[in-house]
Amino acid sequence: MTLIVLLAFLTVVSTGYWLKYLNLSHLKVHGHTVPPEFEGAVDPATLAKISDYTVENSQLGLIESLIDNMVLIAFLFWGLLGIYDGWITSLTGSFLVNGVLFFLFLMVAQTIMGIPFSLYRNFRIENKYGFNTMTVKLWITDLVKGLAIGAVISTLVVLGALWLVTVSPGLWWFWVWLFLLVVGIFMMYLSPTVIEPLFFKFEPLKVEGLEERIRTLMEKAGLKVSRVFQVDASRRSRHSNAYFTGIGKVKRIVLFDTLLEQMTQDEVLAVLAHEVGHWKKKHVLKRIIMTETMAFCGILAAFWLLRGTWLPNVLGMMNASFYAKAVILGFLLSIATFPLTPLFSWLSRRDERESDRFAADLTGDTGAMASALVKLSKDNLSNLHPHPLYAAFYYSHPPVVERIRALRGAGCLLQSPLSR
């Protein structure tokens, strides 16, 4: 059984590496051609820069993945999990304390393993291509803050979940699912108002007239805006973004200062209209329902599977604690759900296309959204030539060339007398 599981894991990993190889090979062949949608906006020098940036990030990601997977194989298949599990359970006689330590130490170890790659990515690759604006001091500060916040939240969540396991042995699966659902909703409020301000400086929008236009657009869509902020994202990176927070019709809008520097007001409104589309088309609600349904089924299955004694045997272990069994089960589920990756990616791309169409209808201006996508792709050095199979498997958004082509096609329909 252990050999079967190891072969299944290696098959999943190899499939991922093969898809990455296809993607880079496709870029090598087609990466010197400027797509018609980008003519006049991207020159051969920029296209070469995009290819180099994509390749360097992919190579670093491949090295990081190889090391992570080798460590994971050693941890799970060479007996290290059993040694670690035995050490943790010997520390105290408390089921709750041991559980917190078990997962907390794993989280810290994972963070430490990622440090060299984060440093190289930020201060080598991102510096080289003009994205990184972060100092080493700020990077260290963010790391410490992130680790501290993650430790506190993880401790509280693990304590709560394990406590429910102890007080309701026969029904803990339901209470844990409900507890995690409540925590997730709570974090939707806590993160933008408490956690994010620890990293970013939130200020009122400084672009004259833009907030009024945003509020008018939101009212047209039937949404209310509580606040509109811009954040000093440029202290860390020149990458740009914008997002909504909030539940229901009242939204809080956050714009990166880099986005405001790169785009016209019409383009900013088009980007926000796209985000509005996700709310109006209930993509967020549908995603939450789908996620929670899967979580419900997964935790119910875990309830039955964790009660048995066969899980440790899968990895050649004689016995294991509740926490070690949970790790083994999570590992097995990651293998079993890998084939579903293209399905979830397809669902996400479908929602993105629908939001693009909604934005075009809401603003009546497909050109602004198309030009915004051109700028975002150019300024962020996004790959313009992903391999179709790689994109189908992993892309949560349609390839940008396809999105622009669809928007410009929709623009022709909007302008056609037959569509009036």
Side-chain angles (χ1 to χ4, degrees):
M1 178 63 76
T2 303
L3 181 59
I4 293 174
V5 172
L6 177 58
L7 290 176
F9 174 68
L10 292 176
T11 300
V12 167
V13 171
S14 299
T15 301
Y17 292 156
W18 175 69
L19 288 169
K20 290 180 175 65
Y21 168 76
L22 279 183
N23 195 47
L24 291 179
S25 298
H26 189 76
L27 178 62
K28 184 177 180 180
V29 174
H30 300 281
H32 303 291
T33 304
V34 177
E37 291 76 12
F38 283 81
E39 287 182 357
V42 172
D43 56 25
T46 302
L47 201 62
K49 192 175 181 181
I50 289 173
S51 296
D52 292 342
Y53 180 68
T54 302
V55 168
E56 289 195 38
N57 269 307
S58 298
Q59 289 174 342
L60 179 63
L62 176 62
I63 295 171
E64 184 175 12
S65 175
L66 284 170
I67 293 175
D68 286 346
N69 286 326
M70 287 190 293
V71 171
L72 184 60
I73 289 173
F75 186 69
L76 294 179
F77 293 93
W78 293 354
L80 297 182
L81 174 60
I83 296 172
Y84 176 73
D85 188 36
W87 173 66
I88 289 291
T89 53
S90 69
L91 294 178
T92 76
S94 170
F95 176 76
L96 298 182
V97 173
N98 287 343
V100 169
L101 295 176
F102 185 96
F103 292 106
L104 197 59
F105 289 160
L106 287 180
M107 184 194 77
V108 172
Q110 187 176 30
T111 301
I112 293 173
M113 282 182 58
I115 286 177
F117 301 100
S118 178
L119 284 170
Y120 188 87
R121 183 175 290 109
N122 278 283
F123 296 103
R124 178 65 176 91
I125 297 178
E126 296 293 296
N127 263 354
K128 179 179 178 180
Y129 292 94
F131 289 124
N132 182 54
T133 57
M134 184 183 297
T135 64
V136 174
K137 179 181 178 181
L138 182 57
W139 183 89
I140 294 174
T141 302
D142 281 355
L143 176 67
V144 173
K145 284 182 183 178
L147 193 57
I149 293 169
V152 171
I153 294 175
S154 298
T155 296
L156 294 176
V157 171
V158 172
L159 269 178
L162 293 179
W163 179 78
L164 291 171
V165 172
T166 60
V167 298
S168 182
L171 203 60
W172 65 258
W173 59 271
F174 174 76
W175 298 118
V176 168
W177 170 78
L178 187 61
F179 170 67
L180 294 178
L181 173 61
V182 172
V183 169
I185 295 174
F186 177 68
M187 289 301 297
M188 292 178 69
Y189 286 102
L190 184 69
S191 179
T193 57
V194 177
I195 297 177
E196 290 174 15
L198 297 176
F199 296 89
F200 296 101
K201 181 181 179 182
F202 287 75
E203 298 178 308
L205 200 57
K206 296 179 180 180
V207 181
E208 185 176 355
L210 181 56
E211 182 169 350
E212 290 75 13
R213 295 187 67 185
I214 290 174
R215 291 185 180 276
T216 299
L217 181 70
M218 296 301 113
E219 289 174 5
K220 182 179 178 181
L223 299 177
K224 295 180 181 180
V225 178
S226 60
R227 299 290 299 275
V228 181
F229 293 101
Q230 68 177 58
V231 298
D232 58 341
S234 57
R235 288 182 61 218
R236 291 170 172 80
S237 173
R238 298 191 188 279
H239 290 294
S240 53
N241 199 5
Y243 62 91
F244 283 4
T245 59
I247 297 177
K249 292 186 176 181
V250 180
K251 305 300 174 195
R252 187 173 186 258
I253 296 176
V254 179
L255 301 170
F256 283 23
D257 56 356
T258 48
L259 185 79
L260 297 172
E261 293 172 4
Q262 295 167 358
M263 296 191 177
T264 66
Q265 290 195 18
D266 287 343
E267 290 166 346
V268 172
L269 290 174
V271 170
L272 291 178
H274 172 89
E275 297 303 320
V276 170
H278 286 306
W279 289 95
K280 295 299 291 185
K281 296 298 182 179
K282 302 188 185 305
H283 296 158
V284 177
L285 178 61
K286 291 175 183 176
R287 189 66 54 84
I288 292 174
I289 292 174
M290 182 179 70
T291 301
E292 291 305 322
T293 300
M294 293 179 61
F296 183 89
C297 296
I299 294 177
L300 177 58
F303 169 73
W304 291 106
L305 294 173
L306 290 172
R307 297 173 70 179
T309 59
W310 66 275
L311 274 174
N313 296 332
V314 169
L315 299 183
M317 298 169 59
M318 296 299 296
N319 52 61
S321 68
F322 180 89
Y323 338 112
K325 287 182 182 179
V327 168
I328 297 169
L329 183 59
F331 173 71
L332 296 177
L333 287 176
S334 70
I335 297 174
T337 57
F338 178 76
L340 298 177
T341 303
L343 172 61
F344 296 139
S345 297
W346 177 82
L347 291 172
S348 178
R349 290 195 301 273
R350 183 194 62 181
D351 290 347
E352 295 299 331
R353 292 189 182 97
E354 194 172 20
S355 288
D356 279 348
R357 292 192 294 270
F358 179 90
D361 292 338
L362 181 62
T363 62
D365 183 5
T366 58
M369 185 64 188
S371 62
L373 288 172
V374 169
K375 285 184 179 180
L376 282 170
S377 301
K378 176 186 176 183
D379 294 340
N380 290 289
L381 298 181
S382 301
N383 183 10
L384 305 183
H385 297 281
H387 190 282
L389 184 58
Y390 182 87
F393 210 92
Y394 287 119
Y395 270 35
S396 61
H397 291 61
V400 67
V401 172
E402 292 181 15
R403 293 180 69 184
I404 295 171
R405 189 177 301 144
L407 283 165
R408 289 176 176 167
C412 293
L413 291 175
L414 287 173
Q415 296 170 10
S416 170
L418 297 176
S419 65
R420 295 172 184 165

